[in-house]
Amino acid sequence: METAATEPKVVSLTPAVFHLPEKVNAVSREYGRNPIVPRGPKFGPLLARVRRGLTDALGCSDTHESILLTGTGSTAMAAVLGSCLRPDERLLVIRNGAYGDRILEFARTLGQPVVDMELPYGVRPDLGAVEAALAGVDAVAMVHGGTSTCTLNPIAEVGALARKHGKKLLMDGVSTLFVEPVELDAWGVAAVMGSCNKGLHGHPNMTCALVRKDLLADMERVAPRAPNLELWKTWRAQEGGAHPYTIDAMSVLQVEAALEALADEGGVAGRHGIYNQRATLLRAGYEQLGLEIARYEGQPLQAIGTMLRIPPGASYAALAERLATRVVRGRVFEIYSAQGKLSKDFFRLFHMGEYPLEAYEVFLEALGACIA
Ligand SMILES: *Cc1c(COP(=O)(O)O)cnc(C)c1O
Protein backbone atom coordinates (compact mmCIF):
# COMPACT_ATOMS: atom_id res chain seq x y z
CA MET A 1 0.00 0.00 0.00
CA GLU A 2 1.34 3.42 -0.90
CA THR A 3 1.63 5.97 1.86
CA ALA A 4 -0.99 8.65 1.30
CA ALA A 5 0.58 11.87 0.04
CA THR A 6 -0.57 13.70 3.16
CA GLU A 7 0.90 11.19 5.59
CA PRO A 8 4.43 12.01 6.80
CA LYS A 9 7.20 9.53 5.98
CA VAL A 10 8.62 7.92 9.08
CA VAL A 11 12.40 7.76 9.23
CA SER A 12 13.67 5.23 11.75
CA LEU A 13 16.82 6.19 13.62
CA THR A 14 16.76 2.87 15.46
CA PRO A 15 19.03 -0.12 14.79
CA ALA A 16 16.75 -3.10 14.04
CA VAL A 17 13.51 -1.85 12.50
CA PHE A 18 13.97 0.52 9.58
CA HIS A 19 13.03 0.74 5.91
CA LEU A 20 14.39 -2.17 3.89
CA PRO A 21 15.60 -2.44 0.29
CA GLU A 22 12.87 -2.48 -2.35
CA LYS A 23 14.16 -5.92 -3.41
CA VAL A 24 13.38 -7.25 0.08
CA ASN A 25 9.93 -5.66 0.10
CA ALA A 26 9.18 -7.12 -3.33
CA VAL A 27 9.61 -10.65 -1.93
CA SER A 28 6.72 -10.30 0.52
CA ARG A 29 4.47 -8.95 -2.24
CA GLU A 30 5.23 -11.86 -4.60
CA TYR A 31 5.65 -14.78 -2.25
CA GLY A 32 1.96 -15.45 -1.54
CA ARG A 33 1.45 -16.39 -5.17
CA ASN A 34 4.31 -18.82 -5.22
CA PRO A 35 5.34 -20.22 -1.83
CA ILE A 36 8.37 -22.48 -1.51
CA VAL A 37 7.90 -25.75 0.35
CA PRO A 38 10.80 -26.36 2.78
CA ARG A 39 11.24 -29.95 1.63
CA GLY A 40 10.44 -29.25 -2.02
CA PRO A 41 12.92 -29.01 -4.87
CA LYS A 42 13.44 -25.23 -4.70
CA PHE A 43 14.41 -24.97 -1.07
CA GLY A 44 17.78 -26.77 -1.02
CA PRO A 45 19.30 -24.65 -3.80
CA LEU A 46 17.92 -21.45 -2.21
CA LEU A 47 19.46 -22.36 1.15
CA ALA A 48 22.79 -23.16 -0.52
CA ARG A 49 22.80 -19.82 -2.39
CA VAL A 50 22.03 -17.83 0.73
CA ARG A 51 24.57 -19.61 2.93
CA ARG A 52 27.25 -19.16 0.28
CA GLY A 53 26.14 -15.57 -0.31
CA LEU A 54 26.64 -14.74 3.38
CA THR A 55 30.23 -15.98 3.49
CA ASP A 56 31.06 -14.55 0.05
CA ALA A 57 29.81 -11.11 1.13
CA LEU A 58 32.02 -11.36 4.22
CA GLY A 59 35.01 -12.68 2.25
CA CYS A 60 35.30 -15.80 4.41
CA SER A 61 34.02 -18.64 2.20
CA ASP A 62 37.40 -20.40 2.30
CA THR A 63 37.64 -20.48 6.06
CA HIS A 64 34.15 -20.27 7.60
CA GLU A 65 30.76 -21.92 7.16
CA SER A 66 27.52 -20.06 7.65
CA ILE A 67 24.53 -21.58 9.38
CA LEU A 68 21.15 -19.91 8.95
CA LEU A 69 18.79 -19.73 11.92
CA THR A 70 15.31 -18.42 12.60
CA GLY A 71 15.57 -15.64 15.17
CA THR A 72 17.42 -12.45 16.06
CA GLY A 73 21.00 -11.71 17.04
CA SER A 74 20.39 -13.10 20.51
CA THR A 75 19.46 -16.43 18.95
CA ALA A 76 22.86 -16.52 17.25
CA MET A 77 24.49 -15.63 20.58
CA ALA A 78 22.79 -18.58 22.31
CA ALA A 79 23.61 -20.89 19.39
CA VAL A 80 27.33 -20.03 19.33
CA LEU A 81 27.76 -20.10 23.11
CA GLY A 82 25.81 -23.36 23.36
CA SER A 83 27.47 -25.14 20.44
CA CYS A 84 31.05 -23.95 20.02
CA LEU A 85 32.39 -24.70 23.50
CA ARG A 86 32.79 -27.94 25.36
CA PRO A 87 30.94 -27.78 28.70
CA ASP A 88 34.22 -27.75 30.64
CA GLU A 89 35.97 -25.00 28.66
CA ARG A 90 36.63 -21.80 30.59
CA LEU A 91 35.38 -18.73 28.76
CA LEU A 92 36.77 -15.24 29.29
CA VAL A 93 33.99 -12.71 28.73
CA ILE A 94 35.28 -9.21 28.02
CA ARG A 95 32.31 -6.90 28.56
CA ASN A 96 32.00 -3.16 28.28
CA GLY A 97 28.39 -2.79 27.17
CA ALA A 98 24.91 -4.27 27.26
CA TYR A 99 25.66 -7.07 24.78
CA GLY A 100 28.77 -8.15 26.64
CA ASP A 101 26.50 -8.37 29.68
CA ARG A 102 24.21 -10.58 27.60
CA ILE A 103 27.10 -12.87 26.58
CA LEU A 104 27.92 -13.34 30.27
CA GLU A 105 24.26 -13.97 31.16
CA PHE A 106 23.82 -16.55 28.38
CA ALA A 107 27.12 -18.32 29.13
CA ARG A 108 26.16 -18.58 32.81
CA THR A 109 22.69 -19.85 31.92
CA LEU A 110 24.35 -22.59 29.88
CA GLY A 111 26.50 -23.49 32.88
CA GLN A 112 29.73 -22.50 31.12
CA PRO A 113 32.63 -21.81 33.49
CA VAL A 114 33.38 -18.12 32.95
CA VAL A 115 36.01 -15.56 33.84
CA ASP A 116 34.29 -12.19 33.92
CA MET A 117 36.27 -9.15 32.76
CA GLU A 118 33.83 -6.35 33.52
CA LEU A 119 34.67 -2.81 32.41
CA PRO A 120 32.64 0.37 32.56
CA TYR A 121 30.48 0.76 29.46
CA GLY A 122 32.50 1.92 26.45
CA VAL A 123 35.91 1.61 28.08
CA ARG A 124 38.59 -0.02 25.92
CA PRO A 125 39.85 -3.33 27.32
CA ASP A 126 43.48 -3.21 28.38
CA LEU A 127 45.38 -5.65 26.17
CA GLY A 128 47.91 -6.51 28.86
CA ALA A 129 45.08 -7.49 31.18
CA VAL A 130 43.43 -9.49 28.41
CA GLU A 131 46.65 -11.37 27.70
CA ALA A 132 47.11 -12.15 31.38
CA ALA A 133 43.53 -13.38 31.68
CA LEU A 134 43.87 -15.56 28.58
CA ALA A 135 46.41 -17.70 30.40
CA GLY A 136 43.68 -19.15 32.61
CA VAL A 137 40.99 -19.83 30.01
CA ASP A 138 40.29 -21.86 26.86
CA ALA A 139 38.26 -19.31 24.93
CA VAL A 140 37.35 -15.64 24.88
CA ALA A 141 34.13 -13.87 23.83
CA MET A 142 33.78 -10.20 22.97
CA VAL A 143 31.40 -7.90 21.14
CA HIS A 144 32.85 -6.24 18.02
CA GLY A 145 30.50 -3.28 17.64
CA GLY A 146 29.33 -2.10 21.04
CA THR A 147 25.86 -0.97 20.04
CA SER A 148 25.11 0.37 23.51
CA THR A 149 27.84 3.02 23.15
CA CYS A 150 28.17 3.07 19.32
CA THR A 151 31.88 2.22 19.52
CA LEU A 152 34.14 -0.52 18.16
CA ASN A 153 36.12 -2.88 20.36
CA PRO A 154 39.73 -3.86 19.44
CA ILE A 155 38.77 -7.23 18.01
CA ALA A 156 41.85 -7.58 15.76
CA GLU A 157 44.15 -7.00 18.76
CA VAL A 158 42.25 -9.39 21.02
CA GLY A 159 42.18 -11.89 18.15
CA ALA A 160 45.97 -11.68 17.75
CA LEU A 161 46.40 -12.42 21.47
CA ALA A 162 43.92 -15.32 21.32
CA ARG A 163 45.79 -16.78 18.35
CA LYS A 164 49.19 -16.32 20.04
CA HIS A 165 47.98 -18.31 23.04
CA GLY A 166 45.90 -20.84 21.10
CA LYS A 167 42.49 -19.76 22.49
CA LYS A 168 39.16 -19.73 20.65
CA LEU A 169 37.75 -16.30 19.87
CA LEU A 170 33.97 -15.96 19.76
CA MET A 171 32.86 -12.62 18.34
CA ASP A 172 29.48 -10.94 18.61
CA GLY A 173 29.24 -9.39 15.16
CA VAL A 174 25.51 -8.72 15.25
CA SER A 175 25.86 -4.99 14.70
CA THR A 176 28.99 -5.00 12.50
CA LEU A 177 28.55 -7.77 9.92
CA PHE A 178 27.86 -6.45 6.42
CA VAL A 179 28.40 -2.80 7.40
CA GLU A 180 31.85 -2.60 9.00
CA PRO A 181 34.85 -4.24 7.31
CA VAL A 182 35.56 -7.57 9.03
CA GLU A 183 38.47 -9.95 8.44
CA LEU A 184 37.47 -13.08 10.26
CA ASP A 185 40.43 -15.18 9.18
CA ALA A 186 43.08 -12.50 9.74
CA TRP A 187 41.63 -11.71 13.16
CA GLY A 188 41.56 -15.40 14.11
CA VAL A 189 37.81 -15.50 14.78
CA ALA A 190 36.62 -19.05 15.49
CA ALA A 191 32.89 -18.30 15.53
CA VAL A 192 30.65 -15.30 14.97
CA MET A 193 27.25 -14.49 16.37
CA GLY A 194 25.60 -12.78 13.41
CA SER A 195 22.42 -11.23 12.11
CA CYS A 196 20.63 -11.02 8.77
CA ASN A 197 18.83 -7.91 9.98
CA LYS A 198 21.01 -5.01 11.13
CA GLY A 199 23.83 -4.46 8.63
CA LEU A 200 22.32 -6.73 6.00
CA HIS A 201 18.96 -4.88 5.94
CA GLY A 202 16.75 -7.94 6.26
CA HIS A 203 13.80 -8.32 8.63
CA PRO A 204 14.69 -9.04 12.27
CA ASN A 205 13.66 -12.68 12.00
CA MET A 206 16.60 -14.47 10.37
CA THR A 207 20.05 -14.72 11.81
CA CYS A 208 23.25 -16.59 11.16
CA ALA A 209 26.30 -17.99 12.82
CA LEU A 210 29.68 -18.32 11.11
CA VAL A 211 31.99 -21.07 12.29
CA ARG A 212 35.57 -21.71 11.24
CA LYS A 213 35.83 -25.04 9.44
CA ASP A 214 38.32 -26.64 11.87
CA LEU A 215 36.13 -25.76 14.85
CA LEU A 216 33.04 -27.08 13.08
CA ALA A 217 34.80 -30.42 12.54
CA ASP A 218 35.61 -30.59 16.29
CA MET A 219 32.03 -29.72 17.21
CA GLU A 220 30.81 -33.09 16.00
CA ARG A 221 32.25 -34.44 19.24
CA VAL A 222 30.81 -31.75 21.55
CA ALA A 223 27.80 -32.90 23.57
CA PRO A 224 24.72 -30.90 22.42
CA ARG A 225 23.41 -28.33 24.88
CA ALA A 226 21.46 -25.82 22.82
CA PRO A 227 18.49 -28.01 21.81
CA ASN A 228 17.12 -26.50 18.58
CA LEU A 229 20.07 -24.12 18.15
CA GLU A 230 22.71 -26.82 17.98
CA LEU A 231 24.99 -25.57 15.24
CA TRP A 232 26.77 -28.76 14.21
CA LYS A 233 23.49 -30.62 13.74
CA THR A 234 21.94 -27.68 11.91
CA TRP A 235 25.01 -27.27 9.70
CA ARG A 236 24.93 -30.94 8.74
CA ALA A 237 21.23 -30.72 7.82
CA GLN A 238 21.80 -27.50 5.86
CA GLU A 239 24.68 -29.07 3.96
CA GLY A 240 22.12 -31.67 2.90
CA GLY A 241 19.77 -28.92 1.67
CA ALA A 242 17.32 -28.94 4.57
CA HIS A 243 16.74 -27.30 7.96
CA PRO A 244 16.02 -29.60 10.92
CA TYR A 245 12.93 -27.55 11.89
CA THR A 246 10.35 -25.46 10.14
CA ILE A 247 11.98 -22.49 8.47
CA ASP A 248 10.14 -19.71 6.66
CA ALA A 249 11.23 -19.87 3.04
CA MET A 250 9.89 -16.35 2.43
CA SER A 251 12.31 -15.04 5.04
CA VAL A 252 15.16 -16.96 3.41
CA LEU A 253 14.23 -15.37 0.07
CA GLN A 254 14.29 -11.96 1.78
CA VAL A 255 17.82 -12.65 3.01
CA GLU A 256 18.78 -13.52 -0.57
CA ALA A 257 17.23 -10.25 -1.77
CA ALA A 258 19.07 -8.35 0.97
CA LEU A 259 22.35 -9.91 -0.22
CA GLU A 260 21.57 -8.75 -3.75
CA ALA A 261 20.83 -5.24 -2.51
CA LEU A 262 24.15 -5.27 -0.63
CA ALA A 263 25.98 -6.35 -3.80
CA ASP A 264 24.24 -3.54 -5.73
CA GLU A 265 25.81 -1.06 -3.29
CA GLY A 266 29.28 -2.50 -3.82
CA GLY A 267 29.24 -5.09 -1.03
CA VAL A 268 30.36 -4.40 2.52
CA ALA A 269 32.88 -1.74 1.43
CA GLY A 270 30.20 0.09 -0.55
CA ARG A 271 27.68 -0.01 2.27
CA HIS A 272 30.32 1.04 4.79
CA GLY A 273 31.00 4.06 2.55
CA ILE A 274 27.31 5.00 2.49
CA TYR A 275 27.08 4.75 6.26
CA ASN A 276 30.25 6.79 6.68
CA GLN A 277 28.81 9.53 4.51
CA ARG A 278 25.74 9.66 6.75
CA ALA A 279 27.88 9.57 9.89
CA THR A 280 30.07 12.42 8.67
CA LEU A 281 27.10 14.61 7.79
CA LEU A 282 25.25 13.85 11.02
CA ARG A 283 28.17 14.15 13.44
CA ALA A 284 29.16 17.51 12.01
CA GLY A 285 25.51 18.56 12.38
CA TYR A 286 25.26 17.33 15.98
CA GLU A 287 28.36 19.31 16.91
CA GLN A 288 27.00 22.39 15.17
CA LEU A 289 23.86 22.06 17.29
CA GLY A 290 26.06 21.99 20.39
CA LEU A 291 25.35 18.34 21.15
CA GLU A 292 28.07 16.28 22.82
CA ILE A 293 29.03 13.02 21.08
CA ALA A 294 29.99 10.25 23.52
CA ARG A 295 33.57 9.22 22.82
CA TYR A 296 35.80 6.71 24.60
CA GLU A 297 39.57 6.76 24.41
CA GLY A 298 41.00 4.37 21.84
CA GLN A 299 37.56 3.22 20.71
CA PRO A 300 36.56 4.34 17.19
CA LEU A 301 32.93 5.26 16.59
CA GLN A 302 30.78 2.65 14.86
CA ALA A 303 29.56 3.45 11.34
CA ILE A 304 25.93 2.74 12.24
CA GLY A 305 25.15 5.42 14.78
CA THR A 306 26.13 7.89 17.45
CA MET A 307 25.48 8.19 21.17
CA LEU A 308 24.85 11.74 22.37
CA ARG A 309 24.49 13.37 25.75
CA ILE A 310 20.95 14.53 26.50
CA PRO A 311 21.22 18.35 26.53
CA PRO A 312 21.06 19.91 30.02
CA GLY A 313 17.48 20.56 31.05
CA ALA A 314 16.03 18.46 28.22
CA SER A 315 14.26 15.13 28.59
CA TYR A 316 14.75 12.20 26.22
CA ALA A 317 11.05 11.29 26.29
CA ALA A 318 9.96 14.81 25.33
CA LEU A 319 12.56 15.01 22.55
CA ALA A 320 11.54 11.61 21.15
CA GLU A 321 7.87 12.60 21.27
CA ARG A 322 8.51 15.90 19.49
CA LEU A 323 10.63 14.33 16.74
CA ALA A 324 8.05 11.59 16.17
CA THR A 325 5.12 13.97 15.83
CA ARG A 326 6.39 17.26 14.40
CA VAL A 327 6.40 16.99 10.60
CA VAL A 328 9.43 18.60 8.95
CA ARG A 329 9.49 18.64 5.14
CA GLY A 330 7.14 15.65 5.01
CA ARG A 331 9.07 13.56 7.51
CA VAL A 332 8.92 12.49 11.15
CA PHE A 333 11.73 10.75 13.04
CA GLU A 334 11.86 7.91 15.56
CA ILE A 335 14.93 8.01 17.80
CA TYR A 336 16.35 5.56 20.37
CA SER A 337 17.12 5.74 24.05
CA ALA A 338 20.45 4.59 25.47
CA GLN A 339 20.58 1.24 27.27
CA GLY A 340 20.36 0.54 30.99
CA LYS A 341 22.55 2.70 33.16
CA LEU A 342 23.42 5.03 30.25
CA SER A 343 19.82 6.02 29.50
CA LYS A 344 19.67 8.69 32.22
CA ASP A 345 22.33 10.81 30.49
CA PHE A 346 22.51 9.67 26.85
CA PHE A 347 20.42 8.78 23.81
CA ARG A 348 21.31 7.16 20.49
CA LEU A 349 20.75 8.07 16.87
CA PHE A 350 21.33 5.27 14.37
CA HIS A 351 21.40 5.89 10.65
CA MET A 352 20.62 2.43 9.36
CA GLY A 353 18.42 1.25 6.50
CA GLU A 354 17.29 2.52 3.14
CA TYR A 355 17.11 6.30 3.30
CA PRO A 356 18.56 8.93 1.00
CA LEU A 357 21.24 11.20 2.50
CA GLU A 358 18.73 14.03 2.23
CA ALA A 359 16.56 12.38 4.93
CA TYR A 360 19.40 13.03 7.39
CA GLU A 361 19.71 16.66 6.32
CA VAL A 362 16.03 17.06 7.15
CA PHE A 363 16.62 15.22 10.42
CA LEU A 364 19.28 17.72 11.48
CA GLU A 365 16.82 20.51 10.76
CA ALA A 366 14.12 18.75 12.82
CA LEU A 367 16.55 18.03 15.65
CA GLY A 368 17.65 21.66 15.73
CA ALA A 369 14.05 22.83 15.93
CA CYS A 370 13.17 20.30 18.64
CA ILE A 371 16.07 21.07 20.97
CA ALA A 372 15.77 24.84 20.50
C1 LIG B 1 21.29 -6.07 18.37
C2 LIG B 1 22.44 -6.76 18.99
C3 LIG B 1 22.32 -8.06 19.49
C4 LIG B 1 21.06 -8.87 19.45
O1 LIG B 1 19.97 -8.31 20.04
P1 LIG B 1 18.46 -8.77 19.76
O2 LIG B 1 17.76 -8.24 20.95
O3 LIG B 1 18.43 -10.23 19.65
O4 LIG B 1 18.09 -8.11 18.47
C5 LIG B 1 23.47 -8.67 19.99
N1 LIG B 1 24.64 -8.03 20.01
C6 LIG B 1 24.79 -6.78 19.52
C7 LIG B 1 26.14 -6.14 19.54
C8 LIG B 1 23.69 -6.11 19.00
O5 LIG B 1 23.84 -4.86 18.51
Side-chain angles (χ1 to χ4, degrees):
M1 204 170 54
E2 289 294 308
T3 311
T6 48
E7 235 177 278
K9 282 193 201 163
V10 177
V11 176
S12 167
L13 296 154
T14 76
V17 176
F18 39 69
H19 284 78
L20 301 176
E22 177 47 30
K23 281 189 171 163
V24 173
N25 295 334
V27 171
S28 39
R29 289 197 298 268
E30 307 289 318
Y31 184 79
R33 274 189 260 136
N34 232 333
I36 292 179
V37 177
R39 304 214 186 275
K42 286 190 184 151
F43 185 72
L46 167 65
L47 185 62
R49 287 196 304 276
V50 168
R51 290 184 52 230
R52 177 70 192 210
L54 293 170
T55 53
D56 279 354
L58 297 167
C60 66
S61 292
D62 291 343
T63 50
H64 292 71
E65 293 275 339
S66 71
I67 299 143
L68 204 61
L69 300 165
T70 302
T72 68
S74 299
T75 312
M77 295 172 76
V80 166
L81 291 167
S83 311
C84 298
L85 297 166
R86 289 189 311 275
D88 61 339
E89 282 184 300
R90 286 171 76 81
L91 177 70
L92 171 65
V93 178
I94 304 173
R95 57 183 181 119
N96 58 358
Y99 294 103
D101 295 350
R102 193 172 296 179
I103 291 176
L104 182 78
E105 178 202 330
F106 282 17
R108 286 204 167 132
T109 302
L110 285 159
Q112 198 71 42
V114 292
V115 173
D116 177 17
M117 180 178 281
E118 183 186 8
L119 300 159
Y121 274 22
V123 168
R124 180 181 166 92
D126 176 75
L127 296 175
V130 170
E131 184 161 22
L134 279 174
V137 299
D138 306 289
V140 52
M142 189 173 77
V143 171
H144 180 206
T147 318
S148 44
T149 47
C150 297
T151 52
L152 291 169
N153 273 325
I155 194 82
E157 290 84 345
V158 170
L161 293 174
R163 174 173 278 174
K164 178 175 160 196
H165 295 279
K167 315 292 177 178
K168 257 180 228 175
L169 171 61
L170 311 181
M171 167 179 128
D172 175 345
V174 176
S175 69
T176 52
L177 291 190
F178 309 106
V179 62
E180 302 278 357
V182 298
E183 292 180 58
L184 300 182
D185 188 36
W187 297 347
V189 179
V192 184
M193 310 155 191
S195 163
C196 299
N197 161 224
K198 288 183 174 162
L200 188 52
H201 296 186
H203 287 276
N205 62 351
M206 294 298 299
T207 189
C208 63
L210 301 152
V211 183
R212 205 169 56 208
K213 292 178 184 185
D214 59 337
L215 173 58
L216 198 52
D218 288 346
M219 280 159 51
E220 184 175 359
R221 293 181 296 278
V222 176
R225 280 188 296 169
N228 67 329
L229 301 176
E230 220 278 300
L231 288 176
W232 188 81
K233 178 180 163 183
T234 306
W235 169 76
R236 198 181 52 172
Q238 293 190 350
E239 282 290 288
H243 188 67
Y245 317 102
T246 300
I247 190 165
D248 176 26
M250 181 178 79
S251 301
V252 181
L253 282 168
Q254 287 168 332
V255 176
E256 184 177 43
L259 284 164
E260 284 168 19
L262 177 69
D264 292 346
E265 287 175 15
V268 175
R271 181 159 293 169
H272 183 66
I274 291 171
Y275 273 70
N276 268 345
Q277 239 186 333
R278 298 173 181 177
T280 303
L281 171 85
L282 288 167
R283 288 173 189 154
Y286 301 151
E287 281 174 342
Q288 242 161 28
L289 291 171
L291 290 165
E292 180 195 332
I293 296 174
R295 293 179 193 273
Y296 298 86
E297 206 182 330
Q299 300 280 81
L301 296 181
Q302 251 185 307
I304 62 170
T306 310
M307 187 162 83
L308 296 159
R309 190 178 288 282
I310 300 169
S315 105
Y316 168 76
L319 181 61
E321 168 74 20
R322 246 177 276 154
L323 283 162
T325 51
R326 171 189 271 198
V327 183
V328 178
R329 292 207 257 153
R331 289 187 165 97
V332 292
F333 300 89
E334 303 224 2
I335 64 170
Y336 219 47
S337 63
Q339 275 164 309
K341 46 195 170 190
L342 294 172
S343 61
K344 207 164 47 59
D345 300 318
F346 297 94
F347 67 110
R348 290 173 299 167
L349 300 172
F350 293 92
H351 41 262
M352 307 195 70
E354 300 288 319
Y355 302 101
L357 196 60
E358 182 233 335
Y360 301 103
E361 288 166 0
V362 180
F363 173 62
L364 286 173
E365 198 180 305
L367 184 62
C370 288
I371 62 175

